[in-house]
Amino acid sequence: MSPLARWCHRHRLAVVLLWVGLLLALGAGVGAAGNAFGNSPTSQDTDSARATALLQRASDSAAGKSGRIVWQANGAKVTEPATERAMIGALEDLADAPGVASVTSPYAPDGGAQVSADGRTAYATVAFDEDVSDAQIDHVKELATGPESENLHIALNGQAFTVNPEPNAVADAMGIVLAFVVLLFVFRAIWVAALPIITAVVGVGTSAVAVMLLSHVITLSDTTLTLGSLIGLGVGIDYALFIVNRHRAHLMAGMSVAESVARSLNTSGRAVVFAGLTVVVALLGMLTLNVGIINGMAIGAAVTVVLTVLAAITLLPALLGMIGPRVLSKSERREAAGRGGQRSSGRAGLWARCAERVQSRPKTLGVAALAVLAALAFPTLSLRLGASDDGNLPTTSTNRQAYDMVADGFGPGFNGPLVLAVQAPGAADKAAAGRLVTALKEVDGVASASAAPFKDGRTVGVVSVVPTTSPQSAATSDLIHHLRDDVIPAAEHGTSMKVYVGGVTASNDDFASVLMGKLPIFVLVIAALGFLLLTVAFRSLLIPAVGAVLNILSIGVAFGAIVVVFQYGFGAGLLGLGAAGPIESFVPILVVGIMFGLSMDYQVFLVSRMREEWAHTGDSRRAVRVGQAETGKVITVAATIMVCVFGSFVFGGMRVISEFGVSLAVAVAVDALLIRMVVVPALMHLCGRANWWLPRRLDRALPHVSVEGPGDEPAHPRRPVREPETAGLAN
């Protein structure tokens, strides 16, 4: 990669202008075309999907959005004259409002079921036209909440009234500011702190507008941008930091700026490309799951990683050429000039002492670290997938308040009824459908069951089943399976009637079941892929095997973190993340792909330096110790930066993104400090020369990929070269 580095260095102004031009051109395209983000449908062969398809085909018209207005009287009933007059007036105004198709009032002759048994809670359903605008919905909200008073509380929920929280720009910027502070504190040089952030921001900014344009070509979720920014900022800053750190070391050794840029890109730059490739492969590997929402997120994140890597190997060398020796602090420049280009003798600094301690006590420290990792990953065993709803929102949200009022007045299951699609082609089948409704009322866990009469000439009917438990409850999931496995087959027996359990609650449960079934296979595939990539990179069998197992353990820590915070609810209230509930179904799949890539990054940067030393000396103990000592500082700083970036997204106001932020921040911190700085070197010390063993036939069969530059094979693998013990150790 030296030719690329030298070209970017010589034409540094042109490279910077090319990046600026690319960003402006893509931005102009977005300005003209906008974006086309939308939730991608999930084409899974499930019972709920068949129910949805059947009901859609039987429907006369495509309905627009709908919402629910819920009101509760304090210490009185909603049927008292004053309350009734106020709400009837508001509902009549709503019915005449632009964009409103119909209003179903509890004060209508047939609206008694919309008033709770104690008379304190009632609700109305508002159906909107298909082409309703956001402004019209906002006007309806104002009309609906108009009668609210000290004695009458009104709240809104439902599809039309649900407002997805906007990404918190302040929280996102805070991650960048914290990253800058960390870099400035550690390296004491303003340009060392600024360059990685500038490179990452340009890469992420370019990818953001590119993804917006890509949304016109493929279906991308509206969370793709936020997820891409989360990943891109973390890896982008880290990748640039690894190159800048190597560049600084070369300058301190007396190299010229041009030669240092070329050498840095040919060593750390190669590792960055390889690490970025592993992240992209892991993300695109999720396409094999064939799940729409995950496909879009994976593609968007992969585009972001590609562009951040491209910025690190083109824009960064150009910026380094512009900055020149100022990438070093004044004291470092004086120190480098005073040595006259001679290499530092190497002082036994913090990371050298840590490396020596791991070398002296590998068993004790390794076992202790593994015990901590196992404890952190243990909550993963109780992982339960599902979908968050209004019940997980903070109590200050009107959607959450409406959810709680409905649950209090009508029962928790009323917030997520099951919708049964009944296909009854004959008269006997329609009679069987009636018997099914009667049987459903006697099932444990069913609060009520009702059926709409079959329309003339129609063979598809609808049965509504209200569970006694909330939509996210494990008992509701058990009820769905009981209906499908026992109750419905018994009702279908001897008839040609077919019944499918659908509705939002059943769809979420099916989606979770599908992904939970694919998760173990996906983890194994990812682990096998990591083993193959590391085998090619390091010409070893033991290092990839250890890396694959430890990657799984790192993913387990990530799962454990989100289970404790979001499923158990510990700390969720303090972080403003709402109530406890199941983990979003697609989060673990994406976390597996992302953490696989990030774990591989640190493994590549750590072991590539060890292999470089092994190539020069043939001494495995020295190679492990020196590699850990010289990469410990930069890996820890890089992990700290990722924790800052990922942690900032926890406060962004979006539960899904918060789940990513918590899981990735905790897992990255543990992966860098315990796995890469303790467990990996401890195991490698115990294994000795076996770390670098590869059968000759396999060595000849595998392609040769040089991660840290050409010529990295040991010249004398059987005769270690002894060098002074402190040589090469970094502070």
Side-chain angles (χ1 to χ4, degrees), residues 383 557-567 583 587-588 659 662-663:
L383 174 69
V557 171
F559 289 176
I562 53 176
V563 167
V564 169
V565 175
F566 293 92
Q567 190 171 312
I583 308 304
V587 167
E659 290 178 3
V662 168
S663 60

Side-chain angles (χ1 to χ4, degrees), residues 368-441:
L370 286 172
V372 173
L373 291 168
L376 293 174
F378 182 75
T380 302
L381 298 177
S382 58
L383 174 69
R384 187 168 70 87
L385 302 184
S388 62
D389 57 23
D390 291 345
N392 296 116
L393 296 174
T395 53
T396 55
S397 165
T398 184
N399 298 74
R400 169 66 184 275
Q401 292 168 10
Y403 182 97
D404 291 341
M405 289 161 61
V406 168
D408 179 58
F410 300 91
F414 203 83
N415 282 299
L418 306 178
V419 180
L420 277 58
V422 181
Q423 194 170 26
D429 300 320
K430 291 180 173 63
R435 292 192 296 272
L436 171 63
V437 174
T438 302
L440 287 171
K441 294 178 180 179

Side-chain angles (χ1 to χ4, degrees), residues 370 527 531 543-555 675-676 683:
L370 286 172
F531 177 85
I543 291 174
V546 170
V549 173
L550 293 179
N551 283 353
I552 293 176
L553 192 55
S554 179
I555 290 168
I675 294 181
R676 308 306 156 188
L683 291 175

